[in-house]
């Protein structure tokens, strides 16, 4: 919980990556947003692989394919939310970039951010990164890490 006034803030931001951990985070976030009458912002991001030497840019089909795959991941995750929470307004965000930075940026005006945690050990976090850690380092609002 950062030392900021949340009085004038509204909305709940949740990170979605298609994992079971993000499903639990989504369920928690949707319930919190629904109870408060807040908008739920569901965020999915994608990143590119490093360019090989001698290559100066990504093929447009690669970039559009990555965007489409991320949009599908988010759509699948949100498929049952409308039935369970019929009054909940959900904004979908799919962008290229760092998940932790994108969630933190979207949470700067929200009252709550929610992320799942894969519970990786120190070595896996070092090699793969940790979205929950990245969000907690840039604490933009009250934040819940769901496991």
């Amino acid at each position: 919980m950062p030392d900021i006034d949340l009085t004038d803030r509204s909305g709940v931001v949740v990170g979605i990556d298609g994992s079971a951990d993000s499903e639990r985070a989504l369920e928690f976030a949707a319930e919190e947003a629904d109870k408060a009458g807040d908008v739920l912002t569901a965020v999915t991001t994608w990143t590119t692989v490093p360019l090989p030497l001698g290559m100066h840019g990504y093929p447009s089909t690669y970039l559009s394919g990555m965007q489409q795959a991320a949009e599908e991941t988010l759509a699948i995750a949100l498929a049952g939310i409308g039935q369970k929470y019929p009054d909940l307004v959900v904004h979908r965000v799919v962008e290229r970039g760092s998940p932790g930075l994108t969630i933190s940026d979207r949470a700067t005006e929200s009252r709550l951010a929610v992320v799942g945690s894969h519970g990786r050990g120190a070595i896996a976090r070092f090699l793969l990164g940790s979205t929950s850690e990245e969000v907690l380092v840039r604490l933009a609002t009250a934040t819940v890490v769901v496991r």
Side-chain angles (χ1 to χ4, degrees):
M1 181 74 165
D3 187 20
I4 56 175
D5 182 10
L6 300 175
T7 306
D8 294 329
R9 291 183 174 206
S10 65
V12 176
V13 176
V14 62
I16 305 294
D17 67 4
S19 69
D21 298 307
S22 75
E23 286 177 25
R24 286 189 289 279
L26 174 59
E27 181 57 37
F28 181 89
E31 185 176 341
E32 286 295 311
D34 188 62
K35 280 193 291 191
D38 277 340
V39 171
L40 177 67
T41 301
V43 177
T44 298
T45 63
W46 57 275
T47 57
T48 56
V49 297
L51 278 172
L53 289 175
M55 200 168 167
H56 300 291
Y58 295 98
S60 62
T61 54
Y62 170 71
L63 297 176
S64 63
M66 292 295 290
Q67 178 73 21
Q68 183 178 358
E71 288 171 1
E72 289 172 7
T73 296
L74 187 57
I76 290 167
L78 294 173
I81 292 296
Q83 292 172 330
K84 189 165 186 178
Y85 303 101
D87 297 328
L88 181 63
V89 175
V90 179
H91 289 164
R92 297 169 186 230
V93 175
V94 178
E95 3 183 289
R96 178 180 176 182
S98 160
L101 295 175
T102 304
I103 292 165
S104 293
D105 288 346
R106 295 291 176 156
T108 57
E109 300 298 320
S110 299
R111 71 171 181 84
L112 181 65
V114 181
V115 291
S117 173
H118 296 290
R120 294 186 178 116
I123 293 173
R125 270 196 317 273
F126 174 75
L127 295 173
L128 301 172
S130 170
T131 298
S132 57
E133 245 180 57
E134 195 172 2
V135 170
L136 292 173
V137 166
R138 302 182 84 234
L139 210 53
T141 190
T143 303
V144 174
V145 179
V146 177
R147 288 185 96 180

